[in-house]
Amino acid sequence: MRGRRRKRRSWKVHESRTLRGVDLTIVDGIPATSVVRTILDLPAVAHPYLVGKAVDHACRRDPAVLDAIVRRHRELPRRGRRGAVLLSRMLAERVGEPIGDTDFETIALRLVRSVGLPHPMPQYEVRDDDFVAYLDLAWPDIKWFVECDSLDEHSGKGPHEWDRMRRRHLKRLGWDPVEVTYDDVTTRAAQTGQELRELYDARARAKRPESGVPQTLDPC
């Protein structure tokens, strides 16, 4: 269960705030992280030599996986993510160009601030008994959040269902999500920014009745 710590002698438990359905797969009936996500997390726990071997082995088995690793690496927040700088350098060597230092969440944060939205709370934690979710950019006062969503056509049924169950639970708790892709906040930034401004304003109006509007009082 997330959030509960137990001492183990032979293995360690690692938690992540950034897992999405695209990062998951099923192996022999057991939930696991995908090849792409496993490689992205590997630099935090393995020697650089082993990380390089893992990347090259995955690319030999599936040449398309390198593009998927680069795309997901760009999407994930890098603040506090161990090994992110090392992986950026390794991937740059293999694709022949710099990967860049700005992650998906940071670009989205700059966009919402550029259109005048109040500063959101990044990676805001929502708990409901055993359910735990971390919202990428959240405005808790109106229960509205922007989700930096990854589109991966190779995801199977299980990962998509995992994401949908998570969103349904958040809806039941009163949260209103808006999903944006990497292209939304980069190549379509102006249009996306305007849409987010309009959606935020509409949510704020719905959650905060305008002053001066008579309130209905319960009879005594």
Side-chain angles (χ1 to χ4, degrees):
M1 183 185 302
R2 183 186 295 276
R4 183 174 297 175
R5 295 286 192 271
R6 292 196 178 114
K7 293 183 179 180
R8 303 290 182 183
R9 295 182 179 178
S10 58
W11 48 272
K12 295 181 180 179
V13 175
H14 298 274
E15 293 185 350
S16 173
R17 295 187 173 194
T18 59
L19 279 179
R20 297 290 185 269
V22 69
D23 298 314
L24 306 177
T25 189
I26 303 293
V27 179
D28 295 332
I30 301 173
T33 52
S34 66
V35 170
V36 170
R37 184 58 195 247
T38 299
I39 288 175
L40 292 174
D41 292 337
L42 199 56
V45 296
H47 190 278
Y49 173 74
L50 297 178
V51 177
K53 286 191 66 175
V55 172
D56 293 337
H57 178 70
C59 291
R60 283 195 298 271
R61 295 190 62 178
D62 179 7
V65 80
L66 181 59
D67 288 340
I69 295 170
V70 170
R71 183 174 64 250
R72 192 70 181 117
H73 178 61
R74 282 177 170 148
E75 292 172 346
L76 288 174
R78 300 179 205 175
R79 298 184 308 277
R81 202 174 107 221
R82 292 178 56 197
V85 174
L86 168 66
L87 189 60
S88 290
R89 187 168 65 247
M90 285 186 172
L91 295 177
E93 291 172 351
R94 286 159 176 80
V95 300
E97 63 181 36
I99 299 302
D101 297 325
T102 308
D103 58 67
F104 191 176
E105 185 182 297
T106 300
I107 296 171
L109 177 59
R110 289 177 182 172
L111 179 60
V112 300
R113 296 185 69 180
S114 73
V115 296
L117 295 187
H119 189 82
M121 297 187 66
Q123 292 302 313
Y124 182 76
E125 182 185 277
V126 175
R127 285 185 177 269
D128 182 44
D129 293 330
D130 290 341
F131 174 82
V132 181
Y134 294 95
L135 313 183
D136 293 333
L137 303 175
W139 289 261
D141 56 331
I142 60 172
K143 284 198 168 182
W144 189 76
F145 70 98
V146 172
E147 189 95 296
C148 298
D149 198 21
S150 176
L151 295 177
D152 190 339
E153 63 275 14
H154 302 298
S155 294
K157 180 180 178 183
H160 283 295
E161 289 183 346
W162 187 87
D163 271 338
R164 282 161 176 74
M165 286 169 47
R166 175 179 178 272
R167 289 167 188 163
R168 285 198 299 271
H169 200 123
L170 288 167
K171 282 275 192 181
R172 289 199 299 271
L173 296 176
W175 286 90
D176 183 31
V178 176
E179 288 127 17
V180 295
T181 65
Y182 190 81
D183 286 344
D184 285 334
V185 300
T186 52
T187 60
R188 295 186 291 272
Q191 176 184 344
T192 301
Q194 181 180 350
E195 291 172 352
L196 291 176
R197 174 82 256 186
E198 294 172 354
L199 290 168
Y200 174 89
D201 288 344
R203 178 67 173 179
R205 286 194 299 269
K207 297 294 286 186
R208 301 172 184 156
E210 294 182 6
S211 59
V213 177
Q215 301 294 314
T216 301
L217 301 178
D218 292 332
C220 295

